[in-house]
Amino acid sequence: MAPSLPRPQRVDVQIAAGSLLCGLALWALGLNSQTDRPLGGTWALLPLFVLAGLELLRSTKPQFALVMATFALVADQFTAGNLASILMFTDIMYAAVVYGSPAAARRIPITSGVITVGMTVAFLAWWQDPQAVLLGVATGIVAFTPAATGVLVRNHREATAAAKLRAEQTALLAEMDRVQAVGAERARMARELHDMVANHLSAIAIHSTAALSLDDPKTSQDALGVIRENSVEGLAEMRRLIGILRDQTGDLEPAAAPTLDGLAALVAGARTNGLDVTLDDARPADGPKLPAPVELAAYRIVQESLTNALKHASPGLVTVTLAQRPRALTVRVTSPYGDPSGPRAPGSGAGLVGMRERTDLLGGTFESGPESTPDGKVWSVFATLPVDPADEGAKE
């Protein structure tokens, strides 16, 4: 079975019908485009109907329509002719460039240009009359001009499509960047919230458990004092964070990021919560100032390590050690490892994840786990935080 022709587009049907009606009107009025042709009378209607039929294929089969329209136009030159036939041929030529393949769109304008020049030279040589140039101009108007117009329209459409594609890709990349930025900000907020509040809540949980389990008024009084202190501090941190998140004007400024100068106060607070902690800060007193991100990460790692020791460590000494290397700051926190005898607070494991994320963001290394020492088994947290020598105040 022979393949059926594609269904014509609606605009093609409208163009074909309108052109055919105009051509029939011109023929009925006797308005022919040529005289002294061998075929007169109704012969001019044959190319007219053929070209009108080919107009139905201008969008779906443009190259086939152009080839057949060329033969129909040549046949029209032997009849009285019809202006509508010429106009339909120019439209089919234009459509072949706009809707045809890329190779055809490049080839048709060149071919029509060569034909125009060739016919002009041939008629000049044959007639030996400058008026032959007018025939070449007419050929160019019928063949080359619609092809050149089709090239301009096709290039404009391709440029528009490319610009639209680039805009869509840009919008997609922007959306991906937005999603990544939102995810990164949510992770940062989660780390900050956990590090600032978890320590207070852990102390509250442990001391409240102790107060409930021990029937000692003095112990309960001390535990309630610690609970109240941590509750007030935790609520203050929560209010500050919520205020920053709810602020739509940007008037609220985040509080200053904690630095290593605050480690002494942090250790003192841990002692108040019941930990036996020692701080060994081996950094040189006249050493260069560390970058703010490094100090913040080191502070949070020590803070979270003390929180974990408060929740999970066995009774014993917890040590915090800081050392300054040429291009890195090392932080080590060790605590007794074993089954704690006192009350415990539940943990989710988010603390270790947050410490590792902070270290990875700075390009450092993080290790945690049990270790054997001469004094027994300990849980060790060790982080190496690189110091970029290009940062101001962090050079060797």
Side-chain angles (χ1 to χ4, degrees), residues 55-111:
E55 283 279 24
L56 298 174
L57 305 177
R58 63 188 295 275
S59 300
T60 55
K61 290 286 186 179
Q63 292 171 243
F64 170 78
L66 178 59
V67 172
M68 300 306 297
T70 302
F71 288 113
L73 184 66
V74 171
D76 187 63
Q77 303 309 305
F78 296 94
T79 70
N82 194 302
L83 181 60
S85 298
I86 298 175
L87 294 177
M88 281 191 287
F89 175 82
T90 60
D91 179 67
I92 292 173
M93 175 70 77
Y94 163 84
V97 175
V98 173
Y99 302 111
S101 64
R106 293 190 299 267
R107 184 173 60 249
I108 291 173
I110 297 175
T111 303

Short mmCIF file of all heavy atoms in Angstrom, two decimals, residues 55-111:
data_model
loop_
_atom_site.label_atom_id
_atom_site.label_comp_id
_atom_site.label_asym_id
_atom_site.label_seq_id
_atom_site.Cartn_x
_atom_site.Cartn_y
_atom_site.Cartn_z
N GLU A 55 0.13 23.94 -2.93
CA GLU A 55 0.11 24.81 -1.75
C GLU A 55 -0.32 24.04 -0.50
O GLU A 55 0.05 24.39 0.62
CB GLU A 55 -0.85 25.98 -1.97
CG GLU A 55 -0.31 27.10 -2.85
CD GLU A 55 0.61 28.04 -2.09
OE1 GLU A 55 1.19 27.62 -1.07
OE2 GLU A 55 0.76 29.19 -2.52
N LEU A 56 -1.11 22.98 -0.70
CA LEU A 56 -1.54 22.17 0.43
C LEU A 56 -0.36 21.44 1.08
O LEU A 56 -0.46 20.99 2.23
CB LEU A 56 -2.59 21.15 -0.01
CG LEU A 56 -3.90 21.73 -0.56
CD1 LEU A 56 -4.79 20.61 -1.08
CD2 LEU A 56 -4.63 22.55 0.50
N LEU A 57 0.75 21.30 0.33
CA LEU A 57 1.93 20.58 0.82
C LEU A 57 3.07 21.51 1.20
O LEU A 57 4.17 21.05 1.45
CB LEU A 57 2.41 19.58 -0.24
CG LEU A 57 1.38 18.58 -0.76
CD1 LEU A 57 1.99 17.72 -1.86
CD2 LEU A 57 0.86 17.70 0.38
N ARG A 58 2.82 22.80 1.24
CA ARG A 58 3.90 23.76 1.46
C ARG A 58 4.59 23.59 2.81
O ARG A 58 5.80 23.88 2.94
CB ARG A 58 3.36 25.20 1.35
CG ARG A 58 2.33 25.55 2.38
CD ARG A 58 1.67 26.90 2.13
NE ARG A 58 2.60 27.99 2.24
CZ ARG A 58 2.92 28.59 3.39
NH1 ARG A 58 2.40 28.14 4.52
NH2 ARG A 58 3.75 29.60 3.40
N SER A 59 3.87 23.12 3.83
CA SER A 59 4.47 22.95 5.16
C SER A 59 4.90 21.52 5.43
O SER A 59 5.89 21.29 6.13
CB SER A 59 3.48 23.39 6.25
OG SER A 59 3.13 24.75 6.10
N THR A 60 4.16 20.55 4.86
CA THR A 60 4.42 19.14 5.17
C THR A 60 5.39 18.49 4.20
O THR A 60 6.18 17.63 4.60
CB THR A 60 3.10 18.37 5.18
OG1 THR A 60 2.41 18.56 3.93
CG2 THR A 60 2.20 18.86 6.32
N LYS A 61 5.36 18.86 2.95
CA LYS A 61 6.27 18.32 1.92
C LYS A 61 6.85 19.47 1.11
O LYS A 61 6.61 19.57 -0.11
CB LYS A 61 5.51 17.35 1.01
CG LYS A 61 5.09 16.05 1.65
CD LYS A 61 6.29 15.13 1.85
CE LYS A 61 5.84 13.77 2.36
NZ LYS A 61 6.99 12.84 2.53
N PRO A 62 7.60 20.35 1.73
CA PRO A 62 8.01 21.58 1.03
C PRO A 62 8.93 21.34 -0.16
O PRO A 62 8.79 22.00 -1.20
CB PRO A 62 8.70 22.38 2.14
CG PRO A 62 9.13 21.37 3.14
CD PRO A 62 8.10 20.31 3.11
N GLN A 63 9.86 20.41 -0.05
CA GLN A 63 10.81 20.21 -1.15
C GLN A 63 10.12 19.55 -2.35
O GLN A 63 10.38 19.92 -3.50
CB GLN A 63 11.99 19.36 -0.65
CG GLN A 63 12.85 20.10 0.38
CD GLN A 63 13.87 19.20 1.03
OE1 GLN A 63 13.85 18.96 2.22
NE2 GLN A 63 14.77 18.66 0.23
N PHE A 64 9.26 18.56 -2.10
CA PHE A 64 8.51 17.95 -3.19
C PHE A 64 7.61 18.98 -3.86
O PHE A 64 7.51 19.04 -5.10
CB PHE A 64 7.67 16.79 -2.63
CG PHE A 64 6.68 16.24 -3.61
CD1 PHE A 64 7.09 15.38 -4.62
CD2 PHE A 64 5.32 16.57 -3.53
CE1 PHE A 64 6.17 14.87 -5.54
CE2 PHE A 64 4.42 16.06 -4.44
CZ PHE A 64 4.83 15.20 -5.44
N ALA A 65 6.96 19.82 -3.05
CA ALA A 65 6.09 20.85 -3.61
C ALA A 65 6.87 21.82 -4.49
O ALA A 65 6.39 22.25 -5.55
CB ALA A 65 5.39 21.61 -2.48
N LEU A 66 8.10 22.17 -4.09
CA LEU A 66 8.90 23.11 -4.89
C LEU A 66 9.30 22.51 -6.24
O LEU A 66 9.24 23.19 -7.28
CB LEU A 66 10.15 23.51 -4.11
CG LEU A 66 11.11 24.46 -4.83
CD1 LEU A 66 10.41 25.75 -5.20
CD2 LEU A 66 12.33 24.73 -3.98
N VAL A 67 9.69 21.24 -6.23
CA VAL A 67 10.09 20.60 -7.49
C VAL A 67 8.90 20.58 -8.45
O VAL A 67 9.02 20.95 -9.64
CB VAL A 67 10.62 19.18 -7.22
CG1 VAL A 67 10.86 18.45 -8.54
CG2 VAL A 67 11.91 19.24 -6.41
N MET A 68 7.74 20.14 -7.97
CA MET A 68 6.59 20.07 -8.85
C MET A 68 6.10 21.46 -9.26
O MET A 68 5.64 21.67 -10.39
CB MET A 68 5.45 19.31 -8.15
CG MET A 68 5.81 17.87 -7.76
SD MET A 68 6.43 16.89 -9.15
CE MET A 68 4.98 16.89 -10.21
N ALA A 69 6.22 22.44 -8.35
CA ALA A 69 5.80 23.80 -8.68
C ALA A 69 6.69 24.40 -9.76
O ALA A 69 6.23 25.20 -10.60
CB ALA A 69 5.83 24.67 -7.43
N THR A 70 7.96 24.02 -9.77
CA THR A 70 8.87 24.51 -10.82
C THR A 70 8.41 24.03 -12.19
O THR A 70 8.36 24.81 -13.17
CB THR A 70 10.30 24.05 -10.53
OG1 THR A 70 10.70 24.52 -9.23
CG2 THR A 70 11.26 24.59 -11.58
N PHE A 71 8.06 22.74 -12.27
CA PHE A 71 7.55 22.22 -13.56
C PHE A 71 6.24 22.91 -13.94
O PHE A 71 6.01 23.24 -15.12
CB PHE A 71 7.33 20.71 -13.46
CG PHE A 71 8.61 19.93 -13.43
CD1 PHE A 71 8.99 19.22 -12.30
CD2 PHE A 71 9.45 19.89 -14.54
CE1 PHE A 71 10.17 18.49 -12.28
CE2 PHE A 71 10.64 19.16 -14.53
CZ PHE A 71 11.01 18.47 -13.38
N ALA A 72 5.37 23.15 -12.95
CA ALA A 72 4.10 23.81 -13.24
C ALA A 72 4.32 25.24 -13.73
O ALA A 72 3.63 25.71 -14.65
CB ALA A 72 3.20 23.80 -12.00
N LEU A 73 5.30 25.95 -13.15
CA LEU A 73 5.57 27.32 -13.58
C LEU A 73 6.16 27.34 -15.00
O LEU A 73 5.83 28.23 -15.80
CB LEU A 73 6.52 28.00 -12.59
CG LEU A 73 6.79 29.48 -12.88
CD1 LEU A 73 5.52 30.29 -12.68
CD2 LEU A 73 7.90 30.01 -11.97
N VAL A 74 7.00 26.38 -15.30
CA VAL A 74 7.55 26.30 -16.67
C VAL A 74 6.42 26.04 -17.66
O VAL A 74 6.35 26.65 -18.74
CB VAL A 74 8.62 25.19 -16.74
CG1 VAL A 74 9.04 24.96 -18.20
CG2 VAL A 74 9.83 25.57 -15.90
N ALA A 75 5.50 25.13 -17.31
CA ALA A 75 4.36 24.87 -18.19
C ALA A 75 3.48 26.10 -18.34
O ALA A 75 2.90 26.34 -19.42
CB ALA A 75 3.54 23.69 -17.64
N ASP A 76 3.40 26.91 -17.27
CA ASP A 76 2.56 28.11 -17.32
C ASP A 76 3.10 29.12 -18.34
O ASP A 76 2.33 29.96 -18.85
CB ASP A 76 2.49 28.74 -15.92
CG ASP A 76 1.51 29.89 -15.86
OD1 ASP A 76 0.31 29.65 -16.07
OD2 ASP A 76 1.96 31.03 -15.60
N GLN A 77 4.40 29.05 -18.65
CA GLN A 77 4.97 30.00 -19.61
C GLN A 77 4.49 29.74 -21.05
O GLN A 77 4.64 30.62 -21.91
CB GLN A 77 6.51 29.92 -19.57
CG GLN A 77 7.11 30.17 -18.20
CD GLN A 77 6.61 31.46 -17.57
OE1 GLN A 77 6.71 32.54 -18.18
NE2 GLN A 77 6.03 31.33 -16.38
N PHE A 78 3.91 28.59 -21.30
CA PHE A 78 3.38 28.28 -22.63
C PHE A 78 1.89 28.62 -22.73
O PHE A 78 1.28 28.36 -23.76
CB PHE A 78 3.60 26.80 -22.95
CG PHE A 78 5.05 26.43 -23.04
CD1 PHE A 78 5.72 25.93 -21.94
CD2 PHE A 78 5.74 26.61 -24.24
CE1 PHE A 78 7.06 25.59 -22.01
CE2 PHE A 78 7.09 26.26 -24.31
CZ PHE A 78 7.76 25.75 -23.20
N THR A 79 1.29 29.14 -21.67
CA THR A 79 -0.12 29.53 -21.67
C THR A 79 -0.22 31.04 -21.51
O THR A 79 0.79 31.74 -21.40
CB THR A 79 -0.88 28.84 -20.53
OG1 THR A 79 -0.46 29.39 -19.28
CG2 THR A 79 -0.62 27.33 -20.52
N ALA A 80 -1.46 31.50 -21.51
CA ALA A 80 -1.67 32.93 -21.32
C ALA A 80 -1.23 33.38 -19.93
O ALA A 80 -1.02 34.58 -19.70
CB ALA A 80 -3.14 33.28 -21.54
N GLY A 81 -1.06 32.46 -19.01
CA GLY A 81 -0.52 32.76 -17.70
C GLY A 81 -1.54 33.38 -16.76
O GLY A 81 -2.60 33.85 -17.17
N ASN A 82 -1.16 33.33 -15.47
CA ASN A 82 -2.04 33.88 -14.44
C ASN A 82 -1.14 34.42 -13.32
O ASN A 82 -0.23 33.73 -12.86
CB ASN A 82 -2.98 32.79 -13.90
CG ASN A 82 -4.13 33.38 -13.09
OD1 ASN A 82 -3.92 34.08 -12.12
ND2 ASN A 82 -5.36 33.08 -13.52
N LEU A 83 -1.44 35.63 -12.89
CA LEU A 83 -0.63 36.24 -11.83
C LEU A 83 -0.69 35.42 -10.54
O LEU A 83 0.30 35.32 -9.80
CB LEU A 83 -1.12 37.66 -11.57
CG LEU A 83 -0.35 38.45 -10.49
CD1 LEU A 83 1.12 38.59 -10.86
CD2 LEU A 83 -0.99 39.82 -10.28
N ALA A 84 -1.83 34.80 -10.27
CA ALA A 84 -1.97 33.98 -9.06
C ALA A 84 -1.02 32.78 -9.09
O ALA A 84 -0.49 32.37 -8.05
CB ALA A 84 -3.41 33.52 -8.90
N SER A 85 -0.77 32.23 -10.29
CA SER A 85 0.16 31.10 -10.40
C SER A 85 1.56 31.53 -10.01
O SER A 85 2.29 30.80 -9.31
CB SER A 85 0.15 30.55 -11.83
OG SER A 85 -1.13 30.07 -12.17
N ILE A 86 1.98 32.71 -10.45
CA ILE A 86 3.33 33.21 -10.11
C ILE A 86 3.44 33.45 -8.60
O ILE A 86 4.43 33.09 -7.97
CB ILE A 86 3.62 34.49 -10.91
CG1 ILE A 86 3.61 34.18 -12.40
CG2 ILE A 86 4.96 35.08 -10.49
CD1 ILE A 86 3.76 35.40 -13.28
N LEU A 87 2.41 34.05 -8.03
CA LEU A 87 2.44 34.33 -6.60
C LEU A 87 2.46 33.05 -5.77
O LEU A 87 3.14 32.96 -4.74
CB LEU A 87 1.25 35.19 -6.20
CG LEU A 87 1.23 36.61 -6.79
CD1 LEU A 87 -0.04 37.35 -6.38
CD2 LEU A 87 2.47 37.39 -6.36
N MET A 88 1.73 32.03 -6.22
CA MET A 88 1.76 30.76 -5.49
C MET A 88 3.13 30.11 -5.59
O MET A 88 3.61 29.51 -4.61
CB MET A 88 0.67 29.82 -6.04
CG MET A 88 -0.73 30.15 -5.54
SD MET A 88 -1.96 28.88 -5.92
CE MET A 88 -2.17 29.14 -7.69
N PHE A 89 3.79 30.23 -6.74
CA PHE A 89 5.14 29.67 -6.86
C PHE A 89 6.10 30.36 -5.88
O PHE A 89 6.93 29.71 -5.23
CB PHE A 89 5.65 29.80 -8.28
CG PHE A 89 7.08 29.34 -8.44
CD1 PHE A 89 7.37 28.00 -8.58
CD2 PHE A 89 8.13 30.25 -8.42
CE1 PHE A 89 8.68 27.56 -8.71
CE2 PHE A 89 9.43 29.83 -8.55
CZ PHE A 89 9.71 28.48 -8.69
N THR A 90 6.02 31.70 -5.77
CA THR A 90 6.91 32.41 -4.83
C THR A 90 6.64 31.97 -3.39
O THR A 90 7.58 31.84 -2.60
CB THR A 90 6.71 33.93 -4.97
OG1 THR A 90 5.35 34.26 -4.67
CG2 THR A 90 7.05 34.40 -6.37
N ASP A 91 5.39 31.71 -3.06
CA ASP A 91 5.08 31.27 -1.70
C ASP A 91 5.63 29.87 -1.45
O ASP A 91 6.13 29.58 -0.36
CB ASP A 91 3.57 31.28 -1.50
CG ASP A 91 3.18 30.80 -0.10
OD1 ASP A 91 3.50 31.50 0.88
OD2 ASP A 91 2.58 29.71 0.02
N ILE A 92 5.53 28.99 -2.45
CA ILE A 92 6.07 27.64 -2.30
C ILE A 92 7.58 27.69 -2.17
O ILE A 92 8.20 26.94 -1.39
CB ILE A 92 5.63 26.76 -3.48
CG1 ILE A 92 4.11 26.52 -3.41
CG2 ILE A 92 6.37 25.43 -3.47
CD1 ILE A 92 3.54 25.81 -4.62
N MET A 93 8.24 28.57 -2.93
CA MET A 93 9.69 28.75 -2.81
C MET A 93 10.05 29.21 -1.40
O MET A 93 10.99 28.69 -0.77
CB MET A 93 10.17 29.78 -3.84
CG MET A 93 11.65 30.15 -3.74
SD MET A 93 12.76 28.82 -4.24
CE MET A 93 12.60 28.95 -6.04
N TYR A 94 9.32 30.18 -0.88
CA TYR A 94 9.55 30.68 0.48
C TYR A 94 9.36 29.57 1.52
O TYR A 94 10.18 29.39 2.42
CB TYR A 94 8.60 31.85 0.73
CG TYR A 94 8.42 32.22 2.19
CD1 TYR A 94 9.32 33.04 2.83
CD2 TYR A 94 7.32 31.73 2.90
CE1 TYR A 94 9.14 33.38 4.17
CE2 TYR A 94 7.14 32.06 4.23
CZ TYR A 94 8.05 32.88 4.87
OH TYR A 94 7.87 33.22 6.17
N ALA A 95 8.27 28.80 1.37
CA ALA A 95 7.97 27.74 2.33
C ALA A 95 9.02 26.63 2.28
O ALA A 95 9.32 26.02 3.31
CB ALA A 95 6.58 27.16 2.05
N ALA A 96 9.58 26.36 1.09
CA ALA A 96 10.59 25.31 0.98
C ALA A 96 11.83 25.65 1.80
O ALA A 96 12.48 24.76 2.36
CB ALA A 96 10.96 25.09 -0.48
N VAL A 97 12.16 26.94 1.88
CA VAL A 97 13.32 27.36 2.67
C VAL A 97 12.99 27.37 4.16
O VAL A 97 13.78 26.93 4.99
CB VAL A 97 13.81 28.75 2.22
CG1 VAL A 97 14.94 29.24 3.11
CG2 VAL A 97 14.25 28.71 0.77
N VAL A 98 11.79 27.85 4.50
CA VAL A 98 11.42 27.98 5.92
C VAL A 98 11.15 26.62 6.55
O VAL A 98 11.61 26.34 7.67
CB VAL A 98 10.19 28.89 6.06
CG1 VAL A 98 9.69 28.91 7.49
CG2 VAL A 98 10.52 30.31 5.61
N TYR A 99 10.43 25.73 5.85
CA TYR A 99 10.01 24.47 6.44
C TYR A 99 10.82 23.27 5.98
O TYR A 99 10.64 22.17 6.50
CB TYR A 99 8.53 24.20 6.11
CG TYR A 99 7.60 25.29 6.59
CD1 TYR A 99 6.95 26.12 5.68
CD2 TYR A 99 7.40 25.51 7.94
CE1 TYR A 99 6.09 27.13 6.12
CE2 TYR A 99 6.55 26.50 8.39
CZ TYR A 99 5.90 27.32 7.47
OH TYR A 99 5.07 28.32 7.90
N GLY A 100 11.71 23.46 5.01
CA GLY A 100 12.50 22.35 4.50
C GLY A 100 13.63 21.97 5.43
O GLY A 100 13.82 22.53 6.52
N SER A 101 14.43 21.01 4.99
CA SER A 101 15.57 20.56 5.79
C SER A 101 16.64 21.64 5.82
O SER A 101 16.67 22.53 4.96
CB SER A 101 16.14 19.27 5.19
OG SER A 101 16.66 19.52 3.90
N PRO A 102 17.56 21.60 6.79
CA PRO A 102 18.63 22.58 6.84
C PRO A 102 19.47 22.61 5.57
O PRO A 102 19.88 23.69 5.11
CB PRO A 102 19.46 22.15 8.05
CG PRO A 102 18.48 21.43 8.94
CD PRO A 102 17.55 20.73 7.99
N ALA A 103 19.73 21.42 4.99
CA ALA A 103 20.52 21.38 3.75
C ALA A 103 19.78 22.07 2.61
O ALA A 103 20.37 22.84 1.83
CB ALA A 103 20.83 19.93 3.38
N ALA A 104 18.47 21.83 2.52
CA ALA A 104 17.68 22.48 1.47
C ALA A 104 17.62 23.99 1.69
O ALA A 104 17.66 24.78 0.74
CB ALA A 104 16.26 21.90 1.45
N ALA A 105 17.54 24.41 2.95
CA ALA A 105 17.49 25.84 3.24
C ALA A 105 18.77 26.54 2.83
O ALA A 105 18.76 27.72 2.46
CB ALA A 105 17.22 26.05 4.74
N ARG A 106 19.89 25.82 2.87
CA ARG A 106 21.16 26.41 2.41
C ARG A 106 21.30 26.35 0.89
O ARG A 106 21.87 27.25 0.26
CB ARG A 106 22.33 25.68 3.07
CG ARG A 106 22.44 25.88 4.57
CD ARG A 106 23.75 25.33 5.09
NE ARG A 106 23.87 23.90 4.84
CZ ARG A 106 23.50 22.96 5.71
NH1 ARG A 106 22.95 23.32 6.87
NH2 ARG A 106 23.64 21.68 5.42
N ARG A 107 20.78 25.29 0.30
CA ARG A 107 20.99 25.05 -1.13
C ARG A 107 20.05 25.87 -2.01
O ARG A 107 20.45 26.37 -3.08
CB ARG A 107 20.81 23.55 -1.40
CG ARG A 107 21.09 23.14 -2.83
CD ARG A 107 21.07 21.63 -2.98
NE ARG A 107 19.76 21.08 -2.61
CZ ARG A 107 19.53 20.34 -1.55
NH1 ARG A 107 20.52 20.08 -0.70
NH2 ARG A 107 18.32 19.86 -1.30
N ILE A 108 18.79 26.02 -1.61
CA ILE A 108 17.79 26.66 -2.48
C ILE A 108 18.15 28.11 -2.80
O ILE A 108 18.08 28.53 -3.97
CB ILE A 108 16.39 26.55 -1.85
CG1 ILE A 108 15.93 25.08 -1.88
CG2 ILE A 108 15.39 27.42 -2.59
CD1 ILE A 108 14.63 24.83 -1.14
N PRO A 109 18.52 28.97 -1.82
CA PRO A 109 18.87 30.35 -2.18
C PRO A 109 20.06 30.45 -3.15
O PRO A 109 20.06 31.28 -4.06
CB PRO A 109 19.20 31.00 -0.83
CG PRO A 109 18.49 30.17 0.17
CD PRO A 109 18.54 28.77 -0.37
N ILE A 110 21.04 29.58 -2.94
CA ILE A 110 22.20 29.60 -3.84
C ILE A 110 21.78 29.19 -5.25
O ILE A 110 22.15 29.83 -6.25
CB ILE A 110 23.30 28.65 -3.31
CG1 ILE A 110 23.81 29.16 -1.95
CG2 ILE A 110 24.45 28.56 -4.30
CD1 ILE A 110 24.81 28.24 -1.29
N THR A 111 20.98 28.13 -5.34
CA THR A 111 20.53 27.66 -6.66
C THR A 111 19.69 28.72 -7.37
O THR A 111 19.87 28.98 -8.56
CB THR A 111 19.71 26.37 -6.49
OG1 THR A 111 20.51 25.38 -5.82
CG2 THR A 111 19.29 25.82 -7.85
#
